[in-house]
Amino acid sequence: MTTSSTLPPAAPAPARTPPAGPAPRRPRRAAKPPSALLSKAGVTALLALATLYTLLPLTWLVLSSTKSREDLFGTNGFAPGEEIHLAENLKHLFTADGGVYLRWVANTVAYAGVGALLAAVFGVAAGYAFDKLTFPGKERLFSLVLLGVMVPGTALAIPLYLLAAEVGLVNTFWSVFVPGLVFPFGVYLARVFSAAYVPDEVLEAARMDGAGEFRAFCRIAFPMLAPGFVTIFLFQFTQIWNSFFLPLVMLSDQDLYPVNLGLYVWYSSALSQGHPEDYLLAVVGSLVAVAPLIAVFLMLQRFWKSGMTAGAVK
Amino acid sequence: MLRRTTAALAGSVTALALLATACGGTGQGASPTAKKTGKVTFWSFVKGSDEVAAAFNRSHPDIEVTFETVPSGQEYYSKLTNAVKAGTAPDVAVVEYPHLPEFAAQGKIEDLSATLGPVVKERFPEAVRQLVDLGGRTWAVPRDAAPLMMMYRKDFFTRHKITVPTTWDAYRNMTEQVKEADPSARGGVLYTDNPGLFTALAWQAGGQWFGTEKDSWKVTLDDGPSKKAAAYWGDLARKDLVRSLSSLDPFWTSVQKNRTVAYVCASWCAGAHQATVPDQKGKWAVAPVPTWDGTPASAMYGGSSFVIPKGADHTGAAAEFIKWITTDPEGMKAWVSSGTSSMFPADPALVPVTKAAFGTEYYGGQDVYAVGTESYEAIRKGWTWGPVMGTTNTALVDELPKVADGTAALPGVLTLAERTTVAQMRQRGMKVTAP
């Protein structure tokens, strides 16, 4: 997009070299010849670099997951091992420590899946209310929400822990699940979405036809906000899925761990204590753990894409 | 759920005073008459902890130990600190020696002088007692010691007629010979992600990073012996005579690929090594760690102890459990039941227990524990870990990669880490007399 906007309209489309003369319409920007970085080749190279940066760790992960322990240390990280060991590794992964890995996956699905679903419902409802309804202290309350957006989740982990200890929730499912339901950024996003997608006239019509506020939200507004809902869900889903510090301080019962914490336990003490098989477990476990995330994104990416640009021009 | 916050506060003040003045007082905390029954929650990242807890439960019907796995590393210590703060701490927790003064000085663990103090005094030599007795009080019971030793490829050394070095001068020659014999092989390693080994080498050289004097701390990371060790290792790394590597898979890859043929490590490495590189069976041997002047000298790299966090519910039962897992032959047997650990018990009387469980085939029948015992006896006295080791270690680790590529000198790194440490200690309200 940047490239084409710097080119004068008359220039041939796949121009390799930047236009020499000043363009009549945008003299200021065209006075400097666009840098080589902005040329098509430059952009392509940059993107290729970014792709490599993203895919290299994944390549390492996929290749390493198929190796035996000897090959893991004995062969290059980006070369395949002597033998394909993936089936054995997976079997080991799902049976190690009495099959605790599956338990971790189930926990993570509950924390991230159910948690994000509820968080998105609450977020959309709250954002809609902030946009369409009037009530005393509305903007002040919304500033509070914005304040919540500014504070990073990690900074809240310790205060949350102390609170959970007060009410005796430490080391329970709820100690990780409940904080995941709160998603201020989702409320903010939902307000923007509501302003963009739900015309006031439609709601007015609904009210005229005798729909109550709740019914108007559920039956009229919510379907219109569906792409926003999915976006908020995805945001929060990844956030909970990746959340590490909160479960780390909250949980000590291995059966309640999310998958990332469990993998960290395997990884952190494997090599120093002479358990290379745990190291391999952590590698294979990571591969299996990223798979659902990739699946969710592939399935929901059209919502995600439409969601990201929504409101950009309004 | 609200527990003894005032006691914790009082404890922290006393602990600080005690650490500084090294004088005794009336016992507080876990009392020797506390009931020895009940439920004990036990946090550990040490392999085999689950089996130890199970074995204890089988032989002690009055006490029920619940074991909970926690990750290791700095994260664990912040987790434990917060658990004590919130009153949700376990009854027994593992703490590695370097982190013990921090917990003691902050009043986050029970003073065990009255309950387990006599046991510690009776069973453990000074080399390890100096790490758990702080300010005249006992704060933890040692499980394992981790005396230094050297691992080397016997076949490589024989083939290229390289003699096993006993002094650091000879060690440098060895690294040169190794590189000459095989340009892709090296005779040592400087970890870029873990300051523990280098710290042990400074300790072995006679360095004393921390000390207490009247009512204040002395911090001397860059004292003479430490600087000597730093200059030596920095030089080896810069000249590419030893590898600069992460201690995780890059290191083990270099071993597996015959690119690291000798390295300094601790007693536990023998088991870790054999498990990680099983196909090099019979090729490796252990030797005493080289010294500066030829007389035996050693230090510790690793090792763990057990504490009772402040606010624990069943201190009596907890003390009983700790005593069993650190000093009872059955307890020690449970730690090494997997047969893969070369852990060196801090209680010398238990060495036969672990020795019997550790197979010697990998090291060609060599008595690994004999080398360990010699090294354990040669550990330098007078070493104290600092009260903010998390900060000290981070300051060191941040600079270590620069030592390898020549942008930082190791002795200078020590000075820098000392400055960061002192600043952090002052920030926490500790009195520090400049070196």
Side-chain angles (χ1 to χ4, degrees):
Chain A
M1 274 192 292
T2 331
T3 1
S4 57
S5 70
T6 54
L7 294 173
R16 284 276 166 97
T17 45
R25 273 207 297 167
R26 311 180 74 171
R28 220 165 44 122
R29 285 186 73 179
K32 277 188 285 178
S35 77
L37 272 184
L38 290 181
S39 76
K40 220 163 212 173
V43 171
T44 312
L46 264 181
L47 285 178
L49 215 64
T51 314
L52 220 59
Y53 182 81
T54 321
L55 290 184
L56 276 183
L58 204 64
T59 314
W60 183 90
L61 189 62
V62 171
L63 285 173
S64 297
S65 300
T66 64
K67 290 178 183 177
S68 66
R69 191 214 43 77
E70 285 86 358
D71 284 350
L72 185 61
F73 298 120
T75 59
N76 188 295
F78 294 103
E82 311 258 307
E83 49 178 315
I84 300 291
H85 219 256
L86 183 63
E88 288 92 329
N89 289 347
L90 285 174
K91 194 174 158 225
H92 186 196
L93 175 70
F94 290 117
T95 51
D97 289 349
V100 75
Y101 182 79
L102 274 180
R103 171 108 206 192
W104 293 339
V105 172
N107 290 342
T108 310
V109 168
Y111 294 135
V114 182
L117 207 64
L118 287 176
V121 170
F122 297 154
V124 167
Y128 168 83
F130 273 121
D131 178 47
K132 298 293 182 222
L133 308 182
T134 43
F135 49 91
K138 177 167 126 173
E139 289 313 318
R140 229 169 258 178
L141 216 59
F142 194 67
S143 327
L144 215 63
V145 172
L146 289 183
L147 207 68
V149 177
M150 311 290 176
V151 184
T154 315
L156 291 176
I158 299 296
L160 275 175
Y161 177 71
L162 297 177
L163 283 176
E166 275 308 303
V167 293
L169 279 183
V170 163
N171 202 17
T172 62
F173 173 80
W174 306 107
S175 63
V176 175
F177 182 76
V178 174
L181 301 182
V182 181
F183 187 34
F185 184 60
V187 177
Y188 167 79
L189 268 186
R191 184 178 185 169
V192 175
F193 282 129
S194 169
Y197 287 149
V198 187
D200 291 345
E201 294 81 1
V202 175
L203 284 179
E204 219 158 294
R207 287 182 193 127
M208 295 279 267
D209 289 343
E213 283 304 328
F214 190 69
R215 197 182 155 97
F217 170 68
C218 292
R219 306 299 292 271
I220 310 289
F222 196 82
M224 299 173 98
L225 284 169
F229 175 82
V230 175
T231 308
I232 293 168
F233 168 78
L234 279 176
F235 264 120
Q236 182 66 341
F237 182 80
T238 30
Q239 196 147 315
I240 304 178
W241 190 278
N242 291 331
S243 149
F244 176 74
F245 195 61
L246 184 78
L248 172 81
V249 292
M250 288 286 188
L251 305 174
S252 45
D253 181 353
Q254 195 173 210
D255 286 345
L256 293 174
Y257 281 4
V259 81
N260 55 359
L261 190 55
L263 290 176
Y264 186 72
V265 165
W266 275 344
Y267 163 84
S268 70
S269 47
L271 289 187
S272 61
Q273 295 189 37
H275 286 261
E277 67 280 2
D278 279 8
Y279 189 78
L280 192 57
L281 278 184
V283 171
V284 184
S286 305
L287 180 72
V288 176
V290 296
L293 217 55
I294 294 175
V296 168
F297 268 78
L298 287 182
M299 283 190 303
L300 299 177
Q301 63 176 341
R302 61 198 176 90
F303 294 101
W304 174 263
K305 272 195 275 186
S306 71
M308 290 236 276
T309 49
V313 289
K314 299 214 175 177
Chain B
M1 292 306 276
L2 205 74
R3 295 178 205 158
R4 295 196 239 172
T5 33
T6 39
L9 200 69
S12 72
V13 176
T14 349
L16 258 178
L18 283 170
L19 276 180
T21 57
C23 71
T26 47
Q28 61 144 54
S31 97
T33 52
K35 256 195 330 177
K36 288 178 180 166
T37 56
K39 292 189 173 182
V40 170
T41 323
F42 165 42
W43 280 7
S44 168
F45 49 75
V46 182
K47 285 283 172 193
S49 295
D50 46 346
E51 278 141 42
V52 170
F56 180 84
N57 285 337
R58 277 197 296 275
S59 56
H60 294 72
D62 293 347
I63 302 173
E64 192 194 330
V65 175
T66 310
F67 163 65
E68 297 185 322
T69 317
V70 287
S72 62
Q74 194 59 42
E75 289 86 1
Y76 164 66
Y77 294 104
S78 45
K79 182 182 164 77
L80 185 59
T81 306
N82 285 310
V84 174
K85 211 184 286 171
T88 54
D91 300 283
V92 175
V94 64
V95 172
E96 291 152 294
Y97 300 113
H99 296 272
L100 206 53
E102 186 156 4
F103 278 90
Q106 293 188 346
K108 298 247 183 284
I109 49 180
E110 295 277 1
D111 175 1
L112 305 179
S113 308
T115 44
L116 294 164
V119 177
V120 170
K121 198 167 174 196
E122 183 195 336
R123 305 293 292 263
F124 300 98
E126 196 192 334
V128 69
R129 229 171 41 224
Q130 65 185 354
L131 304 178
V132 297
D133 281 352
L134 305 163
R137 300 305 198 82
T138 301
W139 299 97
V141 184
R143 180 191 78 126
D144 60 322
L148 292 176
M149 45 174 69
M150 191 178 87
M151 323 278 305
Y152 69 99
R153 278 282 292 267
K154 212 166 42 184
D155 61 330
F156 187 94
F157 275 49
T158 316
R159 193 168 353 119
H160 298 287
K161 299 190 176 59
I162 301 172
T163 45
V164 180
T166 54
T167 64
W168 289 119
D169 280 338
Y171 188 89
R172 178 198 296 274
N173 291 339
M174 179 274 283
T175 58
E176 283 164 356
Q177 285 170 301
V178 165
K179 196 175 169 182
E180 212 175 76
D182 178 353
S184 70
R186 296 291 180 277
V189 61
L190 181 72
Y191 293 134
T192 50
D193 63 332
N194 178 349
L197 181 60
F198 172 70
T199 310
L201 290 166
W203 172 2
Q204 189 231 9
Q208 279 195 3
W209 287 9
F210 298 92
T212 47
E213 205 172 62
K214 280 189 192 144
D215 58 347
S216 66
W217 285 88
K218 254 178 75 183
V219 185
T220 45
L221 265 67
D222 59 355
D223 61 6
S226 303
K227 264 187 165 156
K228 180 173 67 176
Y232 176 85
W233 284 97
D235 189 49
L236 287 187
R238 209 172 33 252
K239 291 190 174 142
D240 194 26
L241 290 169
V242 300
R243 282 190 194 289
S244 306
L245 284 177
S246 146
S247 63
L248 288 174
D249 54 320
F251 170 68
W252 290 111
T253 301
S254 79
V255 174
Q256 178 83 58
K257 290 184 170 175
N258 309 317
R259 290 181 183 167
T260 292
V261 295
Y263 64 100
V264 178
C265 203
S267 48
W268 51 266
C269 303
H273 185 121
Q274 139 182 341
T276 315
V277 205
D279 47 352
Q280 290 181 3
K281 181 176 166 180
K283 294 182 175 171
W284 286 85
V286 296
V289 60
T291 60
W292 288 97
D293 56 6
T295 53
S298 189
M300 260 161 71
Y301 169 39
S304 50
S305 67
F306 289 92
V307 303
I308 302 183
K310 265 269 151 60
D313 289 321
H314 301 103
T315 52
E320 192 65 19
F321 176 61
I322 291 182
K323 193 175 149 192
W324 193 79
I325 64 175
T326 52
T327 61
D328 193 292
E330 289 305 309
M332 197 48 69
K333 215 163 152 184
W335 280 115
V336 292
S337 61
S338 67
T340 54
S341 171
S342 63
M343 180 257 274
F344 193 94
D347 178 351
L350 295 178
V351 167
V353 177
T354 49
K355 188 178 158 178
F358 187 69
T360 55
E361 312 85 55
Y362 190 90
Y363 297 97
Q366 193 186 3
D367 187 352
V368 173
Y369 277 90
V371 180
T373 302
E374 232 173 84
S375 179
Y376 192 26
E377 284 164 1
I379 290 178
R380 272 187 197 273
K381 313 283 189 294
W383 179 267
T384 307
W385 291 101
V388 292
M389 277 321 285
T391 306
T392 310
N393 282 340
T394 310
L396 288 169
V397 157
D398 287 350
E399 297 293 314
L400 282 179
K402 296 185 200 158
V403 173
D405 63 27
T407 50
L410 199 45
V413 170
L414 288 179
T415 310
L416 203 71
E418 176 178 310
R419 224 175 291 148
T420 315
T421 305
V422 170
Q424 176 68 18
M425 287 168 74
R426 292 219 164 104
Q427 206 184 323
R428 290 212 192 160
M430 293 177 210
K431 226 169 131 187
V432 186
T433 44

